[in-house]
Amino acid sequence: MSESKPSVLFVCVHNAGRSQMAAAFLTHLAEDRVEVRSAGSAPADAVNPAAVEAMAEVGIDVSTGTPKVLTVEAVRASDVVITMGCGDTCPVFPGKTYLDWKLDDPAGQGVDAVRPIRDEIERRIRGLLEDLGIQPRC
């Protein structure tokens, strides 16, 4: 990990649901103690509206998020790379931690189906923060 603060990259094909929610939770819970990125190999035009609604229910606004394309540079600049169970592949560099979180896909789902995915992502983000030795904000 970098000397200053760890960096985490969340990757999912469209970068519109799971990876956006994960990045938002990490940003929210870690405040400025983690550098957070998210990207996908085939980014969508906008963040999934059901993900936006589900996150708003817990006080986190992802409505202004923009899906981004995955680059080699983003992977190289990250200490931890987390794919979201969506089959996306990343370049592999030595010394990085790679995790794959198997999560249901919120694409095409209503907010009722997205809530449990959101809650599982939050649980995993809290575990990641613990692994990084960072106390999450309440």
Side-chain angles (χ1 to χ4, degrees):
M1 308 257 169
S2 63
E3 293 286 323
S4 55
K5 59 184 172 181
S7 58
V8 177
L9 169 64
F10 296 100
V11 179
C12 201
V13 175
H14 299 298
N15 188 222
R18 293 167 283 192
S19 52
Q20 290 282 341
M21 290 190 287
F25 267 125
L26 185 54
T27 298
H28 177 76
L29 294 171
E31 297 172 309
D32 63 351
R33 295 168 291 167
V34 177
E35 186 175 346
V36 182
R37 297 178 181 86
S38 70
S41 58
D45 293 332
V47 176
N48 179 327
V52 171
E53 184 178 345
M55 293 301 286
E57 291 175 353
V58 295
I60 300 174
D61 181 9
V62 297
S63 65
T64 60
T66 304
K68 296 168 202 60
V69 70
L70 177 64
T71 64
V72 171
E73 293 78 24
V75 176
R76 188 176 283 127
S78 301
D79 298 309
V80 180
V81 179
I82 302 172
T83 53
M84 311 300 288
C86 43
D88 226 351
T89 58
C90 297
V92 176
F93 296 102
K96 309 223 175 277
T97 300
Y98 292 87
L99 304 171
D100 185 39
W101 291 356
K102 302 280 187 220
L103 297 160
D104 291 337
D105 188 351
Q109 303 287 332
V111 71
D112 289 340
V114 174
R115 284 185 192 110
I117 300 167
R118 173 202 65 201
D119 295 345
E120 177 63 14
I121 289 171
E122 180 182 11
R123 185 187 70 74
R124 291 180 187 220
I125 292 296
R126 289 181 180 277
L128 175 65
L129 284 168
E130 186 176 312
D131 291 346
L132 294 172
I134 295 172
Q135 181 69 33
R137 78 181 216 183
C138 298

